[in-house]
Amino acid sequence: MAAVADVNTQGAASPPSAQPTSVPSTAEGDDTHVVILEVDESYHRYYAVECEADRIGKIKDVLKSPLYRATCAEFVGSGLFLFTVITTVVNYPADQALGVANLLAPIGVATVFGVTISTLAYTFGDVSGAHLNPAVTLGFLVRKSISPVRAALYGTAQFLGATCGACLARLVSDWDLYDAGGRGVNYVTHGHALWQALIAEIVATAFLVTVVLHVSYLATKQYGHGPLAIGGAVLVCHLALIPITGTSINPARSIGAAVASGSNARHQWSEIWVFLAGPLIGGSLAGLNPLWGDGPRSDAEIPQPTPAPGLAA
């Protein structure tokens, strides 16, 4: 028996009708009937197609959701960041290894970190906010500017992306230069105690996250200089901390480089707690800063810039 789908007034096909069959009850003294629905194969196929279409629709909705796109942006941005900076870090000391003085190496490395972050902030800022750093994400969470779910997704994406980027940097680098350049890992340099490194990471990260939280205001973003300020903060933090820890201020950066290094030759794993606790404490302190009040300010609450003389209409 062939089942034919009816068409409703909106033009959508309705499921094939099931065929009822009356079967007498087997209970003694009961002359009622039990109705059994004999559902044919086309009925099963109809709902199988409907369920599959529903699953596909849900997947498409997830892929188009802002949260999914933002999480992917954090993964890609963190990967690009680590690939760029680790490749730079392991190749700049090459001149020193060859006996050539390279006094500009720290400035060059710090500049690459700052410019890379600034560029990625312009690129992914409208998608995810371009945190690219669990300490920054924690600062926004403490400030109650993002939800715990978003913070967890961001953090996971940042750690995974950073690890992939660092591994890719190792893949494309000459091993001798990679090893001579310290493998791009963070470690406490000779002459500094662990507590000194910890305090340095806390203060520098609090400085960075304070800048990020401040320039996240709507009006500041509209002026377009937010990423420049963030990149500048990253640059000066690196100039200050390179002689002490190599500068982490980003737990994902330290974890990614340590995983890619494949060893503990420079105590990067035994000292990893410094580069986790320091930035996370610094990010939390920045988020707790009472200057932020209850939340971001509106345009009306922010003083508008005054045009320079001669530029006013």
Side-chain angles (χ1 to χ4, degrees):
M1 175 181 59
V4 180
D6 298 327
V7 178
N8 57 24
T9 56
Q10 284 75 28
S14 61
S17 302
Q19 304 301 323
T21 301
S22 298
V23 178
S25 173
T26 56
E28 184 176 356
D30 186 3
D31 57 358
T32 60
H33 290 74
V34 178
V35 177
I36 301 177
L37 294 178
E38 296 177 349
V39 182
D40 59 15
E41 185 178 353
S42 62
Y43 193 76
H44 283 295
R45 285 200 303 268
Y46 176 87
Y47 280 104
V49 172
E50 286 293 306
C51 292
E52 182 66 21
D54 184 59
R55 284 194 293 269
I56 294 175
K58 290 181 178 179
I59 294 175
K60 289 182 178 179
D61 290 340
V62 170
L63 295 179
K64 293 179 180 179
S65 68
L67 181 57
Y68 174 81
R69 295 177 62 248
T71 303
C72 289
E74 290 295 310
F75 174 83
V76 174
S78 297
L80 293 174
F81 174 61
L82 262 291
F83 171 77
T84 303
V85 300
I86 296 299
T87 304
T88 301
V89 167
V90 300
N91 284 286
Y92 256 102
D95 291 342
Q96 294 177 340
L98 296 174
V100 180
N102 192 0
L103 299 178
L104 294 179
I107 298 177
V109 170
T111 301
V112 169
F113 272 86
V115 172
T116 302
I117 281 294
S118 181
T119 302
L120 292 173
Y122 275 117
T123 304
F124 297 110
D126 289 341
V127 182
S128 66
H131 293 188
L132 311 178
N133 185 340
V136 172
T137 299
L138 183 59
F140 277 99
L141 179 63
V142 170
R143 191 184 170 212
K144 297 182 180 180
S145 295
I146 61 174
S147 67
V149 172
R150 181 178 289 270
L153 291 174
Y154 275 23
T156 302
Q158 290 157 2
F159 278 110
L160 292 177
T163 301
C164 291
C167 290
L168 187 59
R170 174 176 178 171
L171 181 65
V172 302
S173 299
D174 176 84
W175 173 254
D176 291 334
L177 294 180
Y178 180 80
D179 188 51
R183 306 185 182 186
V185 299
N186 290 118
Y187 59 92
V188 180
T189 60
H190 179 71
H192 294 92
L194 292 177
W195 66 268
Q196 292 175 309
L198 179 63
I199 292 176
E201 288 289 337
I202 291 175
V203 174
T205 308
F207 169 39
L208 169 63
V209 179
T210 297
V211 172
V212 173
L213 292 176
H214 188 70
V215 302
S216 66
Y217 290 129
L218 177 61
T220 305
K221 290 192 294 184
Q222 287 177 342
Y223 302 152
H225 61 252
L228 295 178
I230 296 171
V234 171
L235 189 153
V236 297
C237 285
H238 277 77
L239 288 177
L241 266 64
I242 282 177
I244 304 174
T245 64
T247 313
S248 171
I249 60 175
N250 184 339
R253 177 258 188 272
S254 298
I255 289 290
V259 170
S261 69
S263 73
N264 190 36
R266 296 178 182 269
H267 306 290
Q268 59 264 36
W269 282 113
S270 56
E271 297 173 353
I272 195 67
W273 66 271
V274 173
F275 307 109
L276 293 177
L280 292 178
I281 293 174
S284 300
L285 292 176
L288 291 171
N289 192 326
L291 292 176
W292 307 134
D294 296 330
R297 295 174 292 178
S298 65
D299 287 340
E301 298 173 316
I302 302 178
Q304 299 299 310
T306 302
L311 296 180

